[in-house]
Amino acid sequence: MRLMFIDPPAMKPRSTTVVIMLVSLWLASLGNIALWQSFFAVPEISGWQGMLFGCAFAFVIACLIAALLSLFAWKVTLKLAITLLLLLAAFSTYYMLMYGIVVNTSMVLNVFQTDYREARDQISWRLAVTVFLIAVLPSIWIWRQPFVHTSLLRQILRNSSIFVVSIVMAVGTLQLVFQDFASLMKSRTEMRFQINPLNSLYGVARLTVFPSKVDRGPLLAIGTDAQISTYNNSLNTHPPLLVFVVGETARSQNFSLNGYDRTTNPLLQKEAVASFTNVKSCGTSTAESLPCMFSHLGRSAFNDRENEVENMLDVLYRAGYAVLWIDNQSGCKEQCARIPSVSTSELKIPAHCSGGECRDTVMLERITDEIAKLPAERRAKGTVVVLHQMGSHGPAYFKRTPTEFKTFKPECTDSSLSQCDRSEIVNAYDNTIVFTDYFLSRVISWLKAQEKTSTPAMLYVSDHGESLGEKNMYLHGLPYSVAPPEQTTVPMITWLSPGFEKLSRVSTKCLQNHRDKALSHDNLFHSVLGLMAVKTSVYQRELDFFAACEGR
Ligand SMILES: [Zn+2]
């Protein structure tokens, strides 16, 4: 018997064109499960016609991906480009399927600005499986393929023909189903942000290659004439002290102060607060809302602004107040760039901090000392402190509350919300509101303790809301035009000490009577300046919601 040594069969070199076609079909079908799930959920799409329309839609997507890949179909770049597209598609698919989100520019911006703690909350084995199936497996196959060697001239010819043929086929197919396609895109705008991986590429391109909307002109100063108008001097009161709490992911409807049928505000309901029920946010994510909340421009003008513009805190500072930002979250998004700021999220105070994050109450642990560091001559005029909460940040709501605040049980303790019963998700979320209720009542207690030296007040507003399974949507960040009210209706609560009511001549009684008035983040800039008696030409009294209650 003779021993035979057989070489493993040499792999047949693949034509790049075939690989591009296969990858494009893979991405258009499996890489777009989230899109097809929403597509076939549209009631008007059914039967054979719906199926044909779906196939045509998928074919158009495949052609566009092929055209895109043809630009990178060079020996050194093709495998890298394919791997990158597969990864983008896999990550987006996971988030779209798990949380019902879509991938638009602001979502991409969120990804860039996410801090590691939030990212850590979201890592799960389901993410690993999705990425493995959609991206890693096909990538392994791709990297093992030898490509056919061709001359540069032939490569140029081949790439340009793939590009032209793909575009012609995409346009041709689109023409055949144009009526259906146009009406679908009009009625289901969010679907265009579900097309993988074109959605994430478009988002990245909007932020980097075409940054006209992001990279704005130099910073414009506003309120250069700002002054503190003479408060009623005869009152001879202590200087005002306003704590402005910026909430996180709190939605209005889950506050019992606003009519929620669960007691989520057991402590605040004992305080003399005014809780506004009809307040709209400026955006549906922190990155979008936060800068807009402090701007004088209002939502639409803010989105169209050509320059970066100074904010409410700059004007308060210029008027002469001591201003401070305390951050227990992912930073102030440039809002505290020109004023003193501290971060408490990395502190290691055992009573408040564990597992690399601190409870919002840690900010009260620091506030007295941090205020003491501000210039005395400014503090003599008055102080404004922003407290930026971790609040109800998801999806790991259960991580935001200490055991003794877990009023509603059982809680969802899985970061992949879709693995929990909806009631468990709502329980975990409501517990974060109970904790925010405690935090705000602690802020008020702290303010009351300052009455010997200051005239205190508190304003609390959340940055955006949250979806908790309504219409199968979770979390936040949908494009504003299609975002459900759960993501855009935010709580706003004011507390004025008796001294502050006298000083500002604004009565809480009157505010309570106006609690259902339609308001939005657009009102904040002018209302805070009004409350703090700042005189400046940028102030618009008609947007100041305290003004209606002045002297009443
Ligand atoms: Zn937020």
Side-chain angles (χ1 to χ4, degrees):
M1 195 174 136
R2 258 184 344 151
L3 276 174
M4 284 204 309
F5 291 94
I6 304 171
D7 278 343
M11 276 192 156
K12 214 175 112 215
R14 296 265 169 199
S15 118
T16 345
T17 316
V18 172
V19 171
I20 290 181
M21 276 164 56
L22 288 175
V23 170
S24 304
L25 288 174
W26 174 272
L27 280 170
S29 52
L30 228 79
N32 267 294
I33 304 178
L35 171 70
W36 302 126
Q37 197 188 44
S38 329
F39 181 86
F40 288 107
V42 175
E44 301 91 77
I45 291 170
S46 61
W48 276 109
Q49 264 190 321
M51 205 58 196
L52 273 175
F53 178 29
C55 289
F57 191 1
F59 186 70
V60 172
I61 297 173
C63 288
L64 292 177
I65 296 172
L68 180 73
L69 281 173
S70 73
L71 303 177
F72 298 93
W74 313 98
K75 216 175 142 211
V76 276
T77 50
L78 184 59
K79 287 180 180 181
L80 270 176
I82 290 175
T83 311
L84 188 72
L85 288 197
L86 287 168
L87 282 171
L88 276 178
F91 277 98
S92 319
T93 298
Y94 172 79
Y95 286 106
M96 289 195 283
L97 285 179
M98 283 296 161
Y99 304 125
I101 61 156
V102 298
V103 180
N104 58 354
T105 312
S106 82
M107 197 52 92
V108 172
L109 185 66
N110 283 333
V111 172
F112 285 148
Q113 296 191 349
T114 297
D115 69 25
Y116 78 96
R117 275 168 301 148
E118 294 168 31
R120 195 190 51 194
D121 279 357
Q122 299 181 2
I123 290 168
S124 70
W125 64 267
R126 282 174 209 91
L127 174 63
V129 171
T130 314
V131 172
F132 184 76
L133 289 179
I134 295 182
V136 178
L137 268 188
S139 294
I140 293 175
W141 181 80
I142 298 282
W143 282 91
R144 286 171 54 91
Q145 301 305 311
F147 286 151
V148 180
H149 285 286
T150 42
S151 66
L152 183 68
L153 187 70
R154 286 183 70 134
Q155 275 186 42
I156 296 175
L157 238 124
R158 182 202 57 206
N159 291 5
S160 24
S161 23
I162 299 179
F163 185 83
V164 172
V165 171
S166 308
I167 294 289
V168 168
M169 289 203 295
V171 173
T173 315
L174 206 54
Q175 295 251 301
L176 290 178
V177 291
F178 190 73
Q179 283 267 306
D180 287 343
F181 185 77
S183 72
L184 179 73
M185 287 296 129
K186 216 170 152 194
S187 63
R188 301 283 193 296
T189 326
E190 70 279 14
M191 224 179 252
R192 67 177 81 153
F193 298 107
Q194 287 187 308
I195 303 175
N196 261 337
L198 307 174
N199 50 1
S200 3
L201 288 176
Y202 173 75
V204 172
R206 276 281 304 272
L207 289 176
T208 53
V209 190
F210 314 106
S212 57
K213 287 235 155 192
V214 176
D215 192 19
R216 296 185 173 83
L219 181 77
L220 291 186
I222 53 161
T224 47
D225 57 347
Q227 279 181 348
I228 303 169
S229 70
T230 37
Y231 269 97
N232 196 341
N233 286 332
S234 61
L235 284 171
N236 201 10
T237 50
H238 300 302
L241 166 61
L242 174 68
V243 169
F244 180 1
V245 180
V246 176
E248 176 58 59
T249 317
R251 64 185 216 179
S252 177
Q253 69 192 77
N254 287 47
F255 279 59
S256 48
L257 285 172
N258 296 344
Y260 191 40
D261 56 7
R262 289 176 136 184
T263 311
T264 48
N265 301 124
L267 300 170
L268 282 179
Q269 70 192 17
K270 295 182 200 151
E271 301 289 349
V273 295
S275 180
F276 295 82
T277 60
N278 189 10
V279 183
K280 286 283 166 196
S281 67
C282 186
T284 61
S285 67
T286 310
E288 255 186 324
S289 276
L290 205 60
C292 182
M293 288 170 81
F294 288 87
S295 172
H296 74 293
L297 291 168
R299 201 176 87 78
S300 49
F302 184 79
N303 288 331
D304 298 336
R305 72 198 187 282
E306 282 167 2
N307 285 73
E308 287 305 340
V309 188
E310 284 184 349
N311 63 45
M312 171 210 297
L313 303 176
D314 294 309
V315 179
L316 289 166
Y317 189 81
R318 186 165 291 134
Y321 286 122
V323 186
L324 171 68
W325 183 293
I326 304 182
D327 202 285
N328 194 40
Q329 215 212 95
S330 56
C332 73
K333 316 280 179 220
E334 298 289 302
Q335 298 314 295
C336 58
R338 293 163 295 277
I339 56 146
S341 63
V342 283
S343 167
T344 55
S345 62
E346 314 264 291
L347 291 177
K348 305 246 168 348
I349 304 173
H352 302 278
C353 309
S354 68
E357 95 175 53
C358 296
R359 308 278 175 223
D360 288 325
T361 43
V362 74
M363 294 189 277
L364 292 172
E365 194 76 37
R366 296 295 318 146
I367 191 168
T368 310
D369 290 353
E370 296 299 338
I371 289 178
K373 292 179 194 164
L374 303 175
E377 66 280 9
R378 285 184 173 270
R379 282 188 282 133
K381 292 180 184 154
T383 306
V384 177
V385 183
V386 177
L387 302 180
H388 187 201
Q389 276 190 281
M390 188 66 170
S392 307
H393 205 296
Y397 307 121
F398 67 99
K399 289 191 182 168
R400 306 284 106 84
T401 45
T403 328
E404 60 274 29
F405 287 88
K406 300 205 181 289
T407 313
F408 305 105
K409 285 175 194 163
E411 263 195 331
C412 171
T413 54
D414 192 313
S415 295
S416 300
L417 296 179
S418 59
Q419 296 311 304
C420 291
D421 263 5
R422 206 186 140 207
S423 63
E424 294 177 2
I425 297 168
V426 175
N427 284 347
Y429 181 83
D430 284 346
N431 290 336
T432 66
I433 304 296
V434 173
F435 189 67
T436 286
D437 177 75
Y438 168 73
F439 171 64
L440 293 177
S441 81
R442 285 278 314 274
V443 172
I444 293 173
S445 309
W446 179 83
L447 285 170
K448 284 177 181 168
Q450 312 308 308
E451 280 182 303
K452 285 179 225 105
T453 53
S454 309
T455 308
M458 181 193 79
L459 168 65
Y460 161 76
V461 191
S462 180
D463 61 346
H464 52 79
E466 185 86 322
S467 282
L468 291 173
E470 296 84 8
K471 297 190 207 125
N472 241 335
M473 282 189 271
Y474 288 92
L475 304 178
H476 53 263
L478 272 190
Y480 201 85
S481 51
V482 295
E486 293 84 20
Q487 293 189 21
T488 56
T489 314
V490 290
M492 179 165 86
I493 296 168
T494 60
W495 174 84
L496 310 178
S497 64
F500 205 102
E501 286 190 310
K502 248 188 233 142
L503 186 67
S504 60
R505 297 172 54 240
V506 173
S507 86
T508 296
K509 269 255 143 46
C510 172
L511 293 174
Q512 286 166 343
N513 291 335
H514 286 79
R515 65 194 299 260
D516 297 324
K517 198 172 157 182
L519 296 169
S520 74
H521 281 166
D522 289 11
N523 297 98
L524 288 176
F525 177 93
H526 306 281
S527 303
V528 171
L529 289 193
L531 193 65
M532 292 305 288
V534 174
K535 266 196 350 201
T536 164
S537 52
V538 284
Y539 167 74
Q540 287 173 267
R541 195 177 162 83
E542 62 278 16
L543 288 174
D544 175 354
F545 62 79
F546 292 112
C549 282
E550 226 178 277
R552 293 214 261 155

